Amino acid sequence: MTPPLPREVDRAFRALPAPIGKRLLQVRALIFATAAAHEEVGKLTETLKWGEPAYLTDESGSGSTIRLGRLKESDHAAILFNCKTTLIDTFRERFPDQFEYRQTRALLLDVSGRLPKQPLSVCLSLALTYHLARRRKR
């Protein structure tokens, strides 16, 4: 179940162009659904980072921060990841033609059409369990 939006996060979504905000609210719901499917992720922290909605696994430390916003040079919705992780490289390997990517930090989504839930939930799952997977490799 998706929790209610904290006031400051709601303001950040409403500050975005309407099509981008609407798409990113769909992504937000998918983030919470994906986290709920992984018991080890625990409760998410929803806050703002750099003025954008951000989702952290503070309780468990299982994952890397996921941020939602837009890139200045794009009309796409952007899901941003820590550029020091290997997440975008992993997404590119698994889904080379499904998404558009920017360097090592962003996965871009069209604001119209159907949300590609299945591949996107895989990407979100990888982000939400990033540190768990790295610990298991050691």
Side-chain angles (χ1 to χ4, degrees):
M1 182 166 171
T2 308
L5 276 164
R7 181 175 293 141
E8 69 280 1
V9 175
D10 182 50
R11 273 194 293 257
F13 276 112
R14 284 191 280 129
L16 292 163
I20 292 174
K22 182 179 176 186
R23 176 61 82 195
L24 290 176
L25 284 170
Q26 293 172 332
V27 174
R28 175 188 183 264
L30 192 57
I31 289 169
F32 279 101
T34 303
H38 294 281
E39 189 176 301
E40 66 270 22
V41 169
K43 184 177 184 230
L44 292 180
T45 300
E46 183 173 27
T47 188
L48 294 180
K49 293 252 182 195
W50 298 281
E52 296 173 321
Y55 303 86
L56 295 77
T57 59
D58 284 339
E59 184 177 275
S60 67
S62 66
S64 184
T65 300
I66 300 169
R67 209 164 26 99
L68 303 179
R70 70 183 287 203
L71 300 179
K72 289 182 179 106
E73 73 279 4
S74 176
D75 289 332
H76 290 78
I79 307 172
L80 300 126
F81 302 91
N82 183 326
C83 61
K84 294 181 178 163
T85 67
T86 59
L87 286 166
I88 295 292
D89 290 336
T90 302
F91 304 161
R92 273 191 182 107
E93 272 179 33
R94 289 192 181 203
F95 306 105
D97 303 318
Q98 184 73 50
F99 303 110
E100 189 177 329
Y101 303 98
R102 286 289 189 279
Q103 293 88 31
T104 57
R105 64 178 297 112
L107 181 156
L108 303 181
L109 295 171
D110 286 326
V111 295
S112 61
R114 292 177 58 107
L115 184 69
K117 286 185 180 180
Q118 195 283 327
L120 187 53
S121 67
V122 170
C123 295
L124 295 172
S125 177
L126 289 166
L128 292 167
T129 60
Y130 182 76
H131 295 299
L132 290 178
R134 293 178 59 83
R135 285 181 210 140
R136 289 179 188 135
K137 287 181 182 178
R138 291 182 191 161

